[in-house]
mmCIF file of all heavy atoms in Angstrom:
data_model
loop_
_atom_site.group_PDB
_atom_site.id
_atom_site.type_symbol
_atom_site.label_atom_id
_atom_site.label_comp_id
_atom_site.label_asym_id
_atom_site.label_seq_id
_atom_site.Cartn_x
_atom_site.Cartn_y
_atom_site.Cartn_z
ATOM 1 N N GLY A 1 29.774 -7.612 -16.832
ATOM 2 C CA GLY A 1 28.793 -6.572 -17.117
ATOM 3 C C GLY A 1 27.629 -7.109 -17.917
ATOM 4 O O GLY A 1 26.453 -6.814 -17.616
ATOM 5 N N LEU A 2 27.919 -7.912 -18.937
ATOM 6 C CA LEU A 2 26.862 -8.534 -19.728
ATOM 7 C C LEU A 2 26.018 -9.477 -18.873
ATOM 8 O O LEU A 2 24.786 -9.517 -18.986
ATOM 9 C CB LEU A 2 27.470 -9.306 -20.904
ATOM 10 C CG LEU A 2 28.220 -8.482 -21.958
ATOM 11 C CD1 LEU A 2 28.898 -9.412 -22.961
ATOM 12 C CD2 LEU A 2 27.274 -7.527 -22.660
ATOM 13 N N ALA A 3 26.700 -10.228 -18.014
ATOM 14 C CA ALA A 3 25.995 -11.191 -17.165
ATOM 15 C C ALA A 3 25.054 -10.494 -16.186
ATOM 16 O O ALA A 3 23.907 -10.908 -15.997
ATOM 17 C CB ALA A 3 27.008 -12.052 -16.411
ATOM 18 N N HIS A 4 25.539 -9.444 -15.550
ATOM 19 C CA HIS A 4 24.699 -8.722 -14.596
ATOM 20 C C HIS A 4 23.486 -8.104 -15.293
ATOM 21 O O HIS A 4 22.362 -8.144 -14.763
ATOM 22 C CB HIS A 4 25.507 -7.633 -13.897
ATOM 23 C CG HIS A 4 26.418 -8.142 -12.822
ATOM 24 N ND1 HIS A 4 25.959 -8.816 -11.703
ATOM 25 C CD2 HIS A 4 27.773 -8.080 -12.699
ATOM 26 C CE1 HIS A 4 26.979 -9.144 -10.931
ATOM 27 N NE2 HIS A 4 28.094 -8.716 -11.517
ATOM 28 N N ALA A 5 23.683 -7.548 -16.480
ATOM 29 C CA ALA A 5 22.573 -6.939 -17.209
ATOM 30 C C ALA A 5 21.527 -7.990 -17.589
ATOM 31 O O ALA A 5 20.320 -7.752 -17.482
ATOM 32 C CB ALA A 5 23.094 -6.224 -18.457
ATOM 33 N N THR A 6 21.993 -9.148 -18.025
ATOM 34 C CA THR A 6 21.076 -10.221 -18.402
ATOM 35 C C THR A 6 20.349 -10.768 -17.181
ATOM 36 O O THR A 6 19.168 -11.130 -17.259
ATOM 37 C CB THR A 6 21.836 -11.353 -19.106
ATOM 38 O OG1 THR A 6 22.636 -10.802 -20.150
ATOM 39 C CG2 THR A 6 20.878 -12.364 -19.704
ATOM 40 N N ALA A 7 21.052 -10.826 -16.056
ATOM 41 C CA ALA A 7 20.429 -11.313 -14.827
ATOM 42 C C ALA A 7 19.257 -10.426 -14.414
ATOM 43 O O ALA A 7 18.212 -10.918 -13.967
ATOM 44 C CB ALA A 7 21.460 -11.379 -13.705
ATOM 45 N N VAL A 8 19.406 -9.122 -14.571
ATOM 46 C CA VAL A 8 18.348 -8.183 -14.176
ATOM 47 C C VAL A 8 17.083 -8.419 -14.985
ATOM 48 O O VAL A 8 15.972 -8.426 -14.448
ATOM 49 C CB VAL A 8 18.832 -6.724 -14.363
ATOM 50 C CG1 VAL A 8 17.677 -5.744 -14.201
ATOM 51 C CG2 VAL A 8 19.934 -6.405 -13.363
ATOM 52 N N THR A 9 17.241 -8.648 -16.284
ATOM 53 C CA THR A 9 16.070 -8.807 -17.148
ATOM 54 C C THR A 9 15.473 -10.210 -17.088
ATOM 55 O O THR A 9 14.310 -10.407 -17.416
ATOM 56 C CB THR A 9 16.438 -8.487 -18.606
ATOM 57 O OG1 THR A 9 17.507 -9.355 -19.039
ATOM 58 C CG2 THR A 9 16.892 -7.043 -18.740
ATOM 59 N N SER A 10 16.281 -11.187 -16.651
ATOM 60 C CA SER A 10 15.804 -12.578 -16.660
ATOM 61 C C SER A 10 15.302 -13.063 -15.316
ATOM 62 O O SER A 10 14.545 -14.032 -15.241
ATOM 63 C CB SER A 10 16.926 -13.512 -17.120
ATOM 64 O OG SER A 10 17.939 -13.599 -16.121
ATOM 65 N N GLY A 11 15.747 -12.424 -14.254
ATOM 66 C CA GLY A 11 15.402 -12.897 -12.922
ATOM 67 C C GLY A 11 16.264 -14.038 -12.438
ATOM 68 O O GLY A 11 16.091 -14.540 -11.327
ATOM 69 N N ARG A 12 17.236 -14.465 -13.245
ATOM 70 C CA ARG A 12 18.169 -15.536 -12.855
ATOM 71 C C ARG A 12 19.429 -14.883 -12.305
ATOM 72 O O ARG A 12 19.962 -13.945 -12.886
ATOM 73 C CB ARG A 12 18.502 -16.400 -14.070
ATOM 74 C CG ARG A 12 19.292 -17.654 -13.758
ATOM 75 C CD ARG A 12 19.550 -18.444 -15.032
ATOM 76 N NE ARG A 12 18.317 -18.961 -15.599
ATOM 77 C CZ ARG A 12 17.791 -20.137 -15.288
ATOM 78 N NH1 ARG A 12 18.399 -20.925 -14.406
ATOM 79 N NH2 ARG A 12 16.674 -20.544 -15.842
ATOM 80 N N SER A 13 19.955 -15.363 -11.179
ATOM 81 C CA SER A 13 21.079 -14.693 -10.527
ATOM 82 C C SER A 13 22.416 -15.106 -11.126
ATOM 83 O O SER A 13 22.639 -16.279 -11.461
ATOM 84 C CB SER A 13 21.073 -14.990 -9.023
ATOM 85 O OG SER A 13 21.256 -16.372 -8.792
ATOM 86 N N PHE A 14 23.301 -14.128 -11.270
ATOM 87 C CA PHE A 14 24.661 -14.372 -11.751
ATOM 88 C C PHE A 14 25.532 -14.731 -10.560
ATOM 89 O O PHE A 14 25.757 -13.917 -9.666
ATOM 90 C CB PHE A 14 25.199 -13.131 -12.458
ATOM 91 C CG PHE A 14 26.643 -13.219 -12.850
ATOM 92 C CD1 PHE A 14 27.138 -14.309 -13.545
ATOM 93 C CD2 PHE A 14 27.525 -12.185 -12.528
ATOM 94 C CE1 PHE A 14 28.477 -14.386 -13.910
ATOM 95 C CE2 PHE A 14 28.859 -12.249 -12.895
ATOM 96 C CZ PHE A 14 29.339 -13.348 -13.584
ATOM 97 N N ALA A 15 26.048 -15.990 -10.538
ATOM 98 C CA ALA A 15 26.822 -16.473 -9.396
ATOM 99 C C ALA A 15 28.308 -16.204 -9.526
ATOM 100 O O ALA A 15 29.013 -16.146 -8.519
ATOM 101 C CB ALA A 15 26.585 -17.968 -9.183
ATOM 102 N N GLY A 16 28.821 -16.037 -10.766
ATOM 103 C CA GLY A 16 30.233 -15.727 -10.903
ATOM 104 C C GLY A 16 30.887 -16.347 -12.113
ATOM 105 O O GLY A 16 30.227 -16.905 -13.005
ATOM 106 N N ILE A 17 32.216 -16.261 -12.150
ATOM 107 C CA ILE A 17 33.039 -16.742 -13.257
ATOM 108 C C ILE A 17 34.086 -17.703 -12.718
ATOM 109 O O ILE A 17 34.699 -17.454 -11.683
ATOM 110 C CB ILE A 17 33.714 -15.562 -13.985
ATOM 111 C CG1 ILE A 17 32.674 -14.784 -14.815
ATOM 112 C CG2 ILE A 17 34.867 -16.029 -14.877
ATOM 113 C CD1 ILE A 17 33.234 -13.583 -15.541
ATOM 114 N N ASP A 18 34.270 -18.819 -13.418
ATOM 115 C CA ASP A 18 35.396 -19.710 -13.120
ATOM 116 C C ASP A 18 36.594 -19.164 -13.890
ATOM 117 O O ASP A 18 36.611 -19.175 -15.128
ATOM 118 C CB ASP A 18 35.076 -21.142 -13.552
ATOM 119 C CG ASP A 18 36.114 -22.147 -13.063
ATOM 120 O OD1 ASP A 18 37.318 -21.813 -13.082
ATOM 121 O OD2 ASP A 18 35.736 -23.269 -12.673
ATOM 122 N N SER A 19 37.586 -18.670 -13.159
ATOM 123 C CA SER A 19 38.722 -17.995 -13.782
ATOM 124 C C SER A 19 39.783 -18.943 -14.325
ATOM 125 O O SER A 19 40.832 -18.503 -14.799
ATOM 126 C CB SER A 19 39.378 -17.034 -12.781
ATOM 127 O OG SER A 19 39.933 -17.756 -11.688
ATOM 128 N N SER A 20 39.527 -20.244 -14.281
ATOM 129 C CA SER A 20 40.491 -21.201 -14.828
ATOM 130 C C SER A 20 40.665 -20.980 -16.327
ATOM 131 O O SER A 20 39.680 -20.766 -17.038
ATOM 132 C CB SER A 20 40.005 -22.638 -14.613
ATOM 133 O OG SER A 20 39.646 -22.887 -13.277
ATOM 134 N N PRO A 21 41.898 -21.059 -16.826
ATOM 135 C CA PRO A 21 42.104 -21.025 -18.279
ATOM 136 C C PRO A 21 41.880 -22.429 -18.835
ATOM 137 O O PRO A 21 42.833 -23.162 -19.125
ATOM 138 C CB PRO A 21 43.558 -20.580 -18.420
ATOM 139 C CG PRO A 21 44.221 -21.107 -17.192
ATOM 140 C CD PRO A 21 43.179 -21.119 -16.095
ATOM 141 N N ALA A 22 40.624 -22.829 -18.974
ATOM 142 C CA ALA A 22 40.294 -24.220 -19.289
ATOM 143 C C ALA A 22 41.060 -24.715 -20.515
ATOM 144 O O ALA A 22 41.140 -24.012 -21.520
ATOM 145 C CB ALA A 22 38.797 -24.355 -19.515
ATOM 146 N N PRO A 23 41.624 -25.919 -20.453
ATOM 147 C CA PRO A 23 42.399 -26.449 -21.571
ATOM 148 C C PRO A 23 41.505 -27.065 -22.637
ATOM 149 O O PRO A 23 40.363 -27.453 -22.373
ATOM 150 C CB PRO A 23 43.249 -27.529 -20.902
ATOM 151 C CG PRO A 23 42.356 -28.047 -19.804
ATOM 152 C CD PRO A 23 41.596 -26.842 -19.306
ATOM 153 N N SER A 24 42.001 -27.166 -23.847
ATOM 154 C CA SER A 24 41.372 -27.965 -24.893
ATOM 155 C C SER A 24 42.430 -28.284 -25.930
ATOM 156 O O SER A 24 43.500 -27.656 -25.970
ATOM 157 C CB SER A 24 40.186 -27.238 -25.542
ATOM 158 O OG SER A 24 40.615 -26.370 -26.577
ATOM 159 N N LYS A 25 42.136 -29.244 -26.782
ATOM 160 C CA LYS A 25 43.104 -29.665 -27.796
ATOM 161 C C LYS A 25 43.238 -28.640 -28.916
ATOM 162 O O LYS A 25 44.109 -28.771 -29.780
ATOM 163 C CB LYS A 25 42.697 -31.022 -28.364
ATOM 164 C CG LYS A 25 41.336 -31.040 -29.030
ATOM 165 C CD LYS A 25 40.854 -32.447 -29.330
ATOM 166 C CE LYS A 25 41.650 -33.122 -30.407
ATOM 167 N NZ LYS A 25 41.058 -34.429 -30.798
ATOM 168 N N ASN A 26 42.392 -27.610 -28.914
ATOM 169 C CA ASN A 26 42.375 -26.636 -29.999
ATOM 170 C C ASN A 26 43.076 -25.319 -29.666
ATOM 171 O O ASN A 26 43.040 -24.377 -30.463
ATOM 172 C CB ASN A 26 40.929 -26.348 -30.413
ATOM 173 C CG ASN A 26 40.210 -27.596 -30.881
ATOM 174 O OD1 ASN A 26 40.747 -28.375 -31.653
ATOM 175 N ND2 ASN A 26 38.994 -27.804 -30.384
ATOM 176 N N VAL A 27 43.673 -25.240 -28.469
ATOM 177 C CA VAL A 27 44.366 -24.012 -28.079
ATOM 178 C C VAL A 27 45.781 -24.354 -27.618
ATOM 179 O O VAL A 27 46.163 -25.521 -27.548
ATOM 180 C CB VAL A 27 43.608 -23.263 -26.955
ATOM 181 C CG1 VAL A 27 42.246 -22.801 -27.441
ATOM 182 C CG2 VAL A 27 43.468 -24.137 -25.702
ATOM 183 N N GLN A 28 46.549 -23.334 -27.285
ATOM 184 C CA GLN A 28 47.905 -23.537 -26.794
ATOM 185 C C GLN A 28 47.893 -24.400 -25.524
ATOM 186 O O GLN A 28 46.969 -24.339 -24.723
ATOM 187 C CB GLN A 28 48.550 -22.195 -26.472
ATOM 188 C CG GLN A 28 48.858 -21.348 -27.691
ATOM 189 C CD GLN A 28 50.202 -21.688 -28.313
ATOM 190 O OE1 GLN A 28 50.921 -22.574 -27.863
ATOM 191 N NE2 GLN A 28 50.554 -20.959 -29.361
ATOM 192 N N SER A 29 48.936 -25.183 -25.370
ATOM 193 C CA SER A 29 49.059 -26.028 -24.189
ATOM 194 C C SER A 29 49.511 -25.208 -22.982
ATOM 195 O O SER A 29 50.329 -24.286 -23.108
ATOM 196 C CB SER A 29 50.068 -27.147 -24.445
ATOM 197 O OG SER A 29 50.375 -27.839 -23.251
ATOM 198 N N MET A 30 48.992 -25.573 -21.813
ATOM 199 C CA MET A 30 49.484 -24.945 -20.591
ATOM 200 C C MET A 30 50.938 -25.331 -20.330
ATOM 201 O O MET A 30 51.634 -24.655 -19.574
ATOM 202 C CB MET A 30 48.603 -25.322 -19.402
ATOM 203 C CG MET A 30 47.207 -24.701 -19.434
ATOM 204 S SD MET A 30 47.226 -22.890 -19.580
ATOM 205 C CE MET A 30 48.016 -22.441 -18.026
ATOM 206 N N CYS A 31 51.415 -26.386 -20.965
ATOM 207 C CA CYS A 31 52.844 -26.727 -20.871
ATOM 208 C C CYS A 31 53.695 -25.607 -21.455
ATOM 209 O O CYS A 31 54.786 -25.306 -20.954
ATOM 210 C CB CYS A 31 53.128 -28.030 -21.615
ATOM 211 S SG CYS A 31 52.358 -29.491 -20.899
ATOM 212 N N ARG A 32 53.207 -24.988 -22.516
ATOM 213 C CA ARG A 32 53.936 -23.883 -23.133
ATOM 214 C C ARG A 32 54.040 -22.707 -22.167
ATOM 215 O O ARG A 32 55.080 -22.029 -22.089
ATOM 216 C CB ARG A 32 53.216 -23.453 -24.424
ATOM 217 C CG ARG A 32 53.821 -22.244 -25.131
ATOM 218 C CD ARG A 32 55.230 -22.502 -25.595
ATOM 219 N NE ARG A 32 55.773 -21.351 -26.325
ATOM 220 C CZ ARG A 32 57.064 -21.057 -26.389
ATOM 221 N NH1 ARG A 32 57.964 -21.834 -25.796
ATOM 222 N NH2 ARG A 32 57.476 -20.010 -27.063
ATOM 223 N N VAL A 33 52.989 -22.462 -21.415
ATOM 224 C CA VAL A 33 53.008 -21.389 -20.416
ATOM 225 C C VAL A 33 54.079 -21.674 -19.368
ATOM 226 O O VAL A 33 54.856 -20.784 -18.994
ATOM 227 C CB VAL A 33 51.623 -21.243 -19.751
ATOM 228 C CG1 VAL A 33 51.662 -20.190 -18.646
ATOM 229 C CG2 VAL A 33 50.565 -20.879 -20.794
ATOM 230 N N ILE A 34 54.123 -22.907 -18.895
ATOM 231 C CA ILE A 34 55.131 -23.307 -17.897
ATOM 232 C C ILE A 34 56.540 -23.088 -18.440
ATOM 233 O O ILE A 34 57.429 -22.561 -17.754
ATOM 234 C CB ILE A 34 54.934 -24.786 -17.502
ATOM 235 C CG1 ILE A 34 53.560 -25.024 -16.846
ATOM 236 C CG2 ILE A 34 56.061 -25.253 -16.575
ATOM 237 C CD1 ILE A 34 53.388 -24.431 -15.501
ATOM 238 N N GLU A 35 56.760 -23.476 -19.697
ATOM 239 C CA GLU A 35 58.089 -23.330 -20.300
ATOM 240 C C GLU A 35 58.480 -21.866 -20.466
ATOM 241 O O GLU A 35 59.643 -21.498 -20.273
ATOM 242 C CB GLU A 35 58.113 -24.037 -21.652
ATOM 243 C CG GLU A 35 58.023 -25.561 -21.541
ATOM 244 C CD GLU A 35 57.695 -26.233 -22.856
ATOM 245 O OE1 GLU A 35 57.510 -25.502 -23.868
ATOM 246 O OE2 GLU A 35 57.610 -27.470 -22.888
#
């Protein structure tokens, strides 16, 4: 919703969201999810 609203005012098109739960060393490991 925020992206679409900003796209209207900026003229730049909103192409979408990458739904991956991107990993990093500062969050829970995806290994924990598997377990």
Side-chain angles (χ1 to χ4, degrees):
L2 296 173
H4 283 299
T6 309
V8 170
T9 58
S10 70
R12 188 179 294 271
S13 63
F14 173 50
I17 287 179
D18 189 321
S19 64
S20 309
S24 85
K25 60 191 291 187
N26 300 315
V27 296
Q28 291 274 1
S29 170
M30 290 305 296
C31 294
R32 176 62 177 152
V33 176
I34 298 291
E35 291 165 359

